[in-house]
Amino acid sequence: MIPSAVLDRAAGALLGAACGDALGVPYEFAPRLAQGRIPEMIGGGLGPYEPGEYSDDTQMAVCIAEALRDHDDPRSPQALERTARGFLNWFHGGASDVGVQTARILEDTDRSLTERGGDAAEVMTGRSDRMFEVGERCAGNGSLMRTAPLALAHLNDPQGLARSAARYSHLTHGDPLAAQACVLWCEAVRHAIAHGTYDGVRGGLDLLPSSVRGEWAARLDEAEKEPPTTFAPNGFVVSALQAAWSAIVHAPGDESSPDRYAAPVMAAVRVGDDTDTVAAIAGALVGARWGRSAIPAAYLEVVHGWPGYRAEGLGGLAEVILLRHTRQAD
Ligand SMILES: [Mg+2]
């Protein structure tokens, strides 16, 4: 039996990301908001999007979430193939804006599948490897922004979560930095859902290769010490993670704060640059920490997006994933 508080936090992870995304959409790559200005879900941005509509960050997270809903083993070829095909389906049918690196990989994968056929997940991963091997920049924030649903499928299994986070990052991002960021953040989200604290951010360091732990600890130190606006631009996965963590640390809230979800997520938007992605990353963790019940009703009423989810559907999806995979693990 999963406690209702854990289910609330599981739903909060997915909804927190979606609401952060929709809150950041209007300000993506626009001049940075003044510190006193309240971001609003007014739409626009790169889509352009409707008020309350989430963007590619949550759309791609939904592709992963739906694969986890339908498959027992997140790292099975079937679950990975479902996700890869989901990305391609989204790319052709639902994508209103797509990150540069992700677009390159999905275009290359499409071309290869048309010419030679094959397994989409394998082809996609191969293209990502190739991009890294030839020295192209491929440590963008595009895998970190969509990674949180994996935490729902590994509530009691941090080691398995680390392997899944790296594997799903690798579909489009061949640089190990992207995988490491996903491992760290997924563990933070998992721990927050399971225990209701932010201790998993540091705890996640233990899941990284020992050779890079010190570097990541220093990056977290820097995020905690410097103001959030230090971490812009944030298209680079390391800067995006630091921006999100710095925003949370500098506006943490507590159980009695009515804005314990909204304040850190607004701080993430105010970092500037890739506002929707930084707020989606931050929102996943803040939502996991405080739960769906801490997200303002005004956000939950309007948040929506491809392929047709509203808040109730996203929250239900998160609960279904958690229940399916936690039953398996127990
Ligand atoms: Mg976006």
Side-chain angles (χ1 to χ4, degrees), residues 55-57 276:
S55 72
D56 55 334
D57 312 65
D276 59 319

Side-chain angles (χ1 to χ4, degrees), residues 138-297:
C138 53
N141 59 26
S143 63
L144 180 61
M145 72 184 192
R146 64 176 194 235
T147 206
L150 290 165
L152 302 165
H154 297 278
L155 185 66
N156 302 313
D157 179 17
Q159 302 289 342
L161 176 58
R163 288 192 290 275
S164 290
R167 186 67 192 84
Y168 278 74
S169 176
H170 202 169
L171 283 170
T172 51
H173 289 62
D175 193 314
L177 274 176
Q180 291 157 16
C182 289
V183 170
L184 200 57
W185 209 249
C186 275
E187 172 56 10
V189 171
R190 186 203 68 78
H191 192 279
I193 295 170
H195 305 290
T197 76
Y198 288 134
D199 294 347
V201 177
R202 292 274 168 184
L205 292 169
D206 292 339
L207 296 170
L208 298 176
S210 54
S211 58
V212 301
R213 261 177 227 156
E215 290 164 52
W216 277 103
R219 290 170 184 140
L220 294 177
D221 290 342
E222 191 187 12
E224 290 165 11
K225 184 161 150 272
E226 303 296 337
T229 49
T230 308
F231 305 100
N234 38 51
F236 178 40
V237 67
V238 172
S239 308
L241 186 147
Q242 287 180 302
W245 183 229
S246 186
I248 294 170
V249 167
H250 288 86
D254 60 36
E255 199 68 60
S256 63
S257 325
D259 62 350
R260 59 196 184 279
Y261 169 82
V265 174
M266 286 184 183
V269 174
R270 289 194 197 99
V271 172
D273 196 45
D274 200 350
T275 47
D276 59 319
T277 292
V278 172
I281 295 164
L285 181 56
V286 178
R289 165 73 182 86
W290 298 115
R292 169 173 45 194
S293 50
I295 301 176

